[in-house]
Amino acid sequence: MKATTVSRGKGGGPDMSAAARLRATRWYQQPRWRRLAALLGTALLGAQVTGREGSSSDIFLALKENTTGTGMWIWLGGALLVWVLREFVSEQLAAGWAGVREGARAGASGPLGRGRELWRSLPWVRVAALTALAVFLVLLPLLVTRHWQQVLVDQIGIYVLLVIGLNVVVGWAGMLDLGFIAFFAIGAYSAAYWTGSLPVEPPVVLNNFLVIPVAVVTCLVAGVLLGAPTLRLRGDYLAIVTLGFHEMVYLAARNWRDTTGGTSGASVDRFEIDLGFWSYRWGLDPVPYYWLLLVVIALLIFLFLRLEHSRVGRAWTAIREDEVAAAATGVDTVRFKLLAFAIGASTSGVAGVIYASKLGFINSELFVLLFSILVLSYVIFGGMGSIPGVLLGAAILIWLPEAMRDQVPAQDRFMYLGALLVVMMIYRPQGLLPSRRRRRELEMAEEGAGGADSLGTSEGRRV
Amino acid sequence: MTTEMAGRAVAVDGHVLEVSGVTLRFGGLTSLDRVDLRMRRGEVLAVIGPNGAGKTSLFNSLTGAYVPQEGRIRFRPGRGGEHELRGRKPFRVSRLGLARTFQNIRLFGALTALENVKIAVETRQKTDPVSIMLGLPHARRAERESDRRAHEVMRFVGLGHRLNELASSLSYGEQRRLEIARALATEPELLLLDEPAAGTNPTEKRDLEELIRRINAELSVSVLLIEHDMRLVMSVADRVMVLNFGRKIAEGTPGEVQRDPAVIEAYLGSSSAEDTAVVTGMLSGRGGAGAGDEGEERA
Ligand SMILES: Nc1ncnc2c1ncn2[C@@H]1O[C@H](COP(=O)(O)OP(=O)(O)OP(=O)(O)O)[C@@H](O)[C@H]1O
Ligand SMILES: [Mg+2]
């Protein structure tokens, strides 16, 4: 059914018909109050979590301290400020912005329009901008401290690889995967096994680089084995299955101690190239790993972008939007979903190999469920289905807690992250830089025409 | 009418579709009750009946969306062979050469009109993802081919000027056409149209009539048509089949069906003399816009 147009009138004039008056929303029924309530609720929670810790002798101590101190008022004030800015101020800004956009579209001048025109029409502008970005990225680790170099490699680099892979599954094929880190673990343990670092001996010991294709194949097979029986399920069931799969892999790694090393772990050899005339060993310095990751990431982005704008990417969009119509048009939905799942799994596996080979050590606790959730939240925060979006999302959400490291107590950092995610989901559910297709789907879903999220949509409708 | 001289169709004669004893139940509700249907190659067969008669259920059973509990559905493509469609997966049915449109339009709204059609063309291609990622020549060629073919189909249905519009931003009539284009892009032998005229204006209806004729004559596609607009049915259909409460109550040429007392009663619930006159007028497409034009609700 088409969504009934909700009149935003303030109560309704005397000439309104009775039906119209019944249908009209009152001022207190407007969604903005719901959003305010959600924000204030988050703020209260934030005040409690980041405030004083409790004590076992006086169980209400923390509650008392945190509701009388200034902390709570700062949180509430912040929430109110965000709300006022978004509900009242940004409307004007948005109107101005839309004006600029219209101008740009009409071909009129205006700084933005001209910039976009240049970008489109002149290939050398594009080349120059991309070259500048590439040079910046290559030189970036040389400009920062050792601590940030570690963050760039161990966290941002690895997670960027992961979000690129998860984006294929969630953003493009529209399946909710809560067990993505399971494949990461499989990749990491493959690296440990094939380099001869686990208690069990491999048939042949391989170089870390040679483990990458082996891990890709292993994860492909694992992805297909898991996916083939389950991808017929609707999105929410699939999420539970992947969650269960993650726990299985994690518990196997943890409890199968003679084989995996369990929680005490195993040390892994680092990357090494030996071409006879030239050889190189990656050591403790993070910068060479950074460059290695940069190459892998750039390569994957290049390949995946091609996929997005091909028959495969279009088939994924079709499945995501309306599985019934896609199947009726002849799209083999199960096969394409399986493909997305396998591609995501093997990307995760590659990340696992690199991670293990960089750390030089793995144990089961590096693969807990939290990381699966974090990868998913980076993808959603950045903008599902858009590669620049998910890259930015991962970079920002990893950078932020690190940057807050010295300002706030370590255990509170995730509360701030959570609050940020809540605000984001209230005001910008499509993410920072959403893909065009995804944004349109979300708009259509709001108008009530079709579903946009990856939680199986079309199934419930009658054909 | 044009159907007699359909090119490819006359090469192989006989029936393109043979449905026998198809029964579909939902719990206690029988929405198709031992339906028989034979469709000659190259003909336009219309299915009419009051709301809830089971017309869409019949389409869903033919295309694999629903699996009827009993009966046989045999499809004989022009290249030979015979296929049982009952219980076959929808995408396999589509690959055999059966395409459909939906009563409540189901386009891929966030994609452009052209992309909607390209998806259909590309279901017939076999390029693997690895050659696509590597940009191999045959993958590029397939992409160009799908583009060319999609343009061709879009021009055929008269949407050549709307290629890059979002599917959801097209007018209602254009969306119905786009659904037909998407179905045609799979190169079907049998096209199932579920109320293609619902919600369109008189000009669009006339264009649609013309389009159905051209699909039938120029592309030699057999057409199974559900439609409430009687004027359209009477002008394009070679034969008409009438469903009521899941049962076939009449079948014949448009003229025969119009005079059939069972049909008149089905549309009316009684058969007094002056009511009969009204319904006969309606069925012949003269009075009113046709029965049950309200059947176009969108899900
Ligand atoms: N998925 C389903 N579940 C339960 N009942 C169904 C389902 N699909 C159809 N029906 C029932 O089957 C009967 C026939 O429905 P169908 O949609 O085939 O009618 P129709 O002839 O296409 O009507 P209309 O002209 O309104 O489109 C109806 O009573 C309907 O409620
Ligand atoms: Mg129907």
Side-chain angles (χ1 to χ4, degrees):
Chain A
M1 221 199 302
K2 270 235 142 102
T4 26
T5 31
V6 181
S7 95
R8 291 176 187 273
K10 304 206 167 40
D15 51 344
M16 278 174 96
S17 75
R21 224 173 303 136
L22 274 178
R23 220 178 296 129
T25 37
R26 312 263 163 207
W27 63 267
Y28 55 83
Q29 287 172 325
Q30 284 179 359
R32 66 166 52 130
W33 301 110
R34 267 204 309 277
R35 293 198 284 261
L36 179 63
L39 284 175
L40 292 180
T42 310
L44 283 178
L45 204 63
Q48 294 302 322
V49 173
T50 59
R52 261 198 74 142
E53 269 177 59
S55 98
S56 52
S57 54
D58 179 1
I59 51 171
F60 290 116
L61 174 75
L63 193 62
K64 242 181 326 200
E65 290 285 325
N66 294 336
T67 44
T68 50
T70 51
M72 192 182 72
W73 298 109
I74 295 177
W75 271 93
L76 287 178
L80 201 64
L81 187 70
V82 168
W83 183 73
V84 168
L85 280 179
R86 280 298 315 206
E87 301 285 347
F88 303 104
V89 180
S90 73
E91 222 159 82
Q92 270 112 49
L93 288 182
W97 174 241
V100 174
R101 272 195 165 176
E102 277 308 305
R105 205 166 299 153
S109 53
L112 196 84
R114 193 163 295 154
R116 198 171 288 173
E117 281 295 289
L118 278 180
W119 179 260
R120 289 239 176 87
S121 59
L122 295 177
W124 64 264
V125 174
R126 244 173 312 178
V127 172
L130 288 179
T131 314
L133 182 68
V135 169
F136 171 72
L137 287 177
V138 168
L139 298 182
L140 180 62
L142 305 178
L143 310 174
V144 298
T145 61
R146 182 64 175 247
H147 167 69
W148 282 103
Q149 286 176 349
Q150 295 285 13
V151 172
L152 265 181
V153 176
D154 289 354
Q155 301 194 42
I156 298 189
I158 295 289
Y159 274 100
V160 158
L161 210 49
L162 286 170
V163 294
I164 292 174
L166 187 59
N167 180 50
V168 175
V169 184
V170 177
W172 289 346
M175 298 180 288
L176 191 53
D177 185 348
L178 289 179
F180 202 59
I181 292 295
F183 299 107
F184 184 63
I186 292 176
Y189 278 101
S190 298
Y193 175 70
W194 288 105
T195 55
S197 319
L198 287 188
V200 281
E201 284 295 314
V204 282
V205 175
L206 297 177
N207 180 290
N208 296 46
F209 283 105
L210 289 181
V211 177
I212 292 183
V214 175
V216 166
V217 172
T218 312
C219 287
L220 272 178
V221 171
V224 169
L225 283 184
L226 173 68
T230 54
L231 289 184
R232 280 160 234 270
L233 299 176
R234 274 183 49 202
D236 21 12
Y237 298 101
L238 181 67
I240 300 301
V241 170
T242 52
L243 194 73
F245 178 67
H246 181 128
E247 279 306 284
M248 276 164 54
V249 170
Y250 167 69
L251 289 175
R254 189 187 159 99
N255 295 333
W256 200 1
R257 228 165 278 143
D258 325 337
T259 318
T260 63
T263 46
S264 44
S267 58
V268 183
D269 290 340
R270 296 206 154 81
F271 281 118
E272 180 179 357
I273 291 186
D274 190 356
L275 299 176
F277 57 93
W278 179 77
S279 67
Y280 183 78
R281 268 186 95 86
W282 273 257
L284 287 174
D285 183 8
V287 179
Y289 294 98
Y290 174 85
W291 287 323
L292 179 68
L293 270 168
L294 201 60
V295 171
V296 175
I297 291 168
L299 189 70
L300 280 184
I301 291 180
F302 177 75
L303 296 180
F304 286 3
L305 278 179
R306 274 209 174 133
L307 214 51
E308 187 194 4
H309 298 287
S310 73
R311 67 182 277 258
V312 178
R314 281 188 285 272
W316 281 334
T317 313
I319 293 171
R320 200 173 69 212
E321 280 200 39
D322 191 334
E323 200 165 335
V324 171
T329 312
V331 178
D332 185 347
T333 51
V334 173
R335 201 173 139 257
F336 276 101
K337 284 183 177 184
L338 207 53
L339 177 67
F341 207 65
I343 289 178
S346 45
T347 312
S348 189
V350 172
V353 174
I354 299 180
Y355 188 61
S357 309
K358 156 72 177 63
L359 277 193
F361 169 82
I362 54 171
N363 70 11
S364 60
E365 301 314 294
L366 296 172
F367 310 105
V368 291
L369 185 64
L370 173 69
F371 298 121
S372 280
I373 309 287
L374 279 182
V375 184
L376 186 64
S377 65
Y378 299 159
V379 170
I380 293 172
F381 181 83
M384 281 189 277
S386 132
I387 285 187
V390 298
L391 297 186
L392 194 67
I396 290 184
L397 285 192
I398 295 169
W399 167 78
L400 205 63
E402 283 301 323
M404 286 191 306
R405 195 181 204 94
D406 303 326
Q407 275 80 40
V408 301
Q411 69 271 31
D412 289 354
R413 285 182 297 166
F414 280 101
M415 184 63 223
Y416 292 98
L417 212 61
L420 178 65
L421 281 175
V422 169
V423 173
M424 189 73 182
M425 288 306 104
I426 291 177
Y427 285 114
R428 206 176 159 81
Q430 71 271 40
L432 284 178
L433 295 176
S435 78
R436 281 223 309 284
R437 287 174 187 169
R438 273 288 188 176
R439 195 177 55 227
R440 287 184 218 131
E441 281 165 29
L442 212 62
E443 282 163 12
M444 288 191 298
E446 268 166 23
E447 288 162 15
D453 56 61
S454 46
L455 289 177
T457 47
S458 44
E459 245 55 32
R461 288 200 278 161
R462 223 183 249 181
V463 186
Chain B
M1 206 172 285
T2 45
T3 49
E4 263 75 49
M5 35 188 181
R8 190 175 72 198
V10 286
V12 192
D13 47 23
H15 293 100
V16 65
L17 185 70
E18 245 183 88
V19 176
S20 51
V22 163
T23 301
L24 174 72
R25 293 186 209 95
F26 293 105
L29 180 96
T30 307
S31 75
L32 289 177
D33 188 2
R34 281 164 291 155
V35 172
D36 295 328
L37 156 70
R38 300 174 118 213
M39 206 178 154
R40 282 195 287 275
R41 197 174 300 280
E43 85 173 328
V44 178
L45 175 64
V47 180
I48 64 170
N51 289 130
K55 308 180 292 296
T56 303
S57 299
L58 177 65
F59 270 28
N60 286 338
S61 303
L62 295 182
T63 54
Y66 291 167
V67 183
Q69 281 81 2
E70 291 158 32
R72 299 189 62 177
I73 303 168
R74 271 158 298 176
F75 178 62
R76 295 199 191 87
R79 58 178 178 275
E82 181 180 293
H83 304 274
E84 172 64 45
L85 297 187
R86 186 167 74 101
R88 206 173 269 252
K89 291 211 187 71
F91 87 91
R92 292 206 186 281
V93 173
S94 156
R95 288 185 183 187
L96 285 176
L98 215 90
R100 72 173 294 179
T101 64
F102 293 90
Q103 178 174 359
N104 40 7
I105 301 175
R106 298 184 83 142
L107 288 165
F108 309 121
L111 294 176
T112 65
L114 187 69
E115 284 173 321
N116 269 271
V117 178
K118 278 178 89 170
I119 286 173
V121 176
E122 285 158 355
T123 60
R124 300 303 183 263
Q125 296 181 337
K126 298 215 159 46
T127 28
D128 61 304
V130 175
S131 10
I132 291 172
M133 284 198 275
L134 297 179
L136 297 186
H138 75 95
R140 285 161 186 260
R141 218 171 316 127
E143 169 87 33
R144 274 199 302 276
E145 172 60 21
S146 112
D147 222 57
R148 188 193 61 73
R149 177 83 184 109
H151 274 87
E152 196 177 282
V153 177
M154 288 291 276
R155 271 196 303 276
F156 183 83
V157 301
L159 285 175
H161 57 296
R162 305 291 264 162
L163 298 172
N164 296 318
E165 303 287 325
L166 287 187
S168 55
S169 70
L170 298 180
S171 78
Y172 213 69
E174 286 171 333
Q175 291 196 11
R176 293 233 174 252
R177 257 163 201 273
L178 183 56
E179 268 217 329
I180 296 177
R182 186 177 68 184
L184 285 179
T186 64
E187 310 204 344
E189 291 190 33
L190 174 55
L191 178 63
L192 313 186
L193 300 174
D194 199 343
E195 303 195 16
T200 59
N201 64 35
T203 332
E204 288 171 332
K205 280 202 177 103
R206 229 165 298 128
D207 293 346
L208 181 73
E209 189 181 321
E210 162 81 21
L211 179 62
I212 295 176
R213 286 226 179 81
R214 279 174 51 223
I215 289 171
N216 185 237
E218 292 173 24
L219 306 179
S220 323
V221 173
S222 316
V223 178
L224 189 58
L225 168 75
I226 295 179
E227 190 46 70
H228 281 300
D229 184 291
M230 288 306 151
R231 215 190 51 75
L232 183 65
V233 169
M234 297 305 156
S235 84
V236 301
D238 301 318
R239 284 191 309 136
V240 180
M241 161 182 157
V242 188
L243 281 181
N244 193 23
F245 292 118
R247 233 177 255 141
K248 182 166 87 178
I249 55 168
E251 187 176 355
T253 64
E256 289 164 8
V257 167
Q258 264 167 50
R259 288 185 299 273
D260 194 317
V263 177
I264 294 165
E265 192 174 331
Y267 271 90
L268 210 64
S270 83
S271 51
S272 73
E274 77 252 41
D275 288 348
T276 307
V278 173
V279 174
T280 320
M282 185 190 82
L283 283 177
S284 65
R286 265 177 272 120
D293 239 6
E294 72 280 4
E296 71 213 31
E297 95 276 0
R298 301 187 65 176

